[in-house]
Amino acid sequence: VQEVASLSLVSSACDVVSAASASTKESPPCLGCVCAAAERPVQAVTEASCVQPLLATLEPHVAAASEYASKGLDKLGEKLPLLPKPVEQILCDTKELLSSGVAEVKEAVSS
């Protein structure tokens, strides 16, 4: 999970979602209350000490799954060079590519 979260594309997407969530909570007061109510159970589970024994039992399985996931992410990173890039960079590159393509089409049509 940490490896996926550290990818620029994922972390910048999470930042965008987080900012949207924060602004949504501030707009209509009733929506903010609904969001807060939905977050409370998640916070309670993550803070609960009763989860620790379960995590200790599952730790070897989680470690094995983590190793497989890490290998899969490495292979995915080789095939998708977009993953290490932030969302803003991908959007900028895409706009430049489209702009140059449109310019080429305009030039071909005019000639």
Side-chain angles (χ1 to χ4, degrees):
V1 172
Q2 289 173 341
E3 195 171 337
V4 171
S6 69
L7 293 171
S8 295
L9 178 62
V10 174
S11 65
S12 62
C14 288
D15 291 343
V16 169
V17 170
S18 178
S21 172
S23 67
T24 301
K25 287 180 191 176
E26 293 171 3
S27 339
C30 62
L31 190 56
C33 292
V34 171
C35 290
E39 290 172 354
R40 278 190 208 109
V42 174
Q43 288 174 345
V45 167
T46 57
E47 295 170 359
S49 60
C50 63
V51 176
Q52 293 304 322
L54 177 62
L55 291 177
T57 305
L58 294 176
E59 197 274 329
H61 305 293
V62 171
S66 178
E67 183 180 338
Y68 288 121
S70 181
K71 289 178 183 176
L73 278 174
D74 291 342
K75 287 182 181 179
L76 191 61
E78 292 170 6
K79 295 182 182 199
L80 293 173
L82 296 176
L83 285 180
K85 295 182 178 181
V87 171
E88 295 83 11
Q89 181 65 43
I90 294 170
L91 291 174
C92 183
D93 292 349
T94 303
K95 286 178 184 176
E96 287 178 18
L97 183 63
L98 287 173
S99 177
S100 66
V102 168
E104 289 175 14
V105 169
K106 282 182 179 179
E107 186 178 317
V109 168
S110 65
S111 64

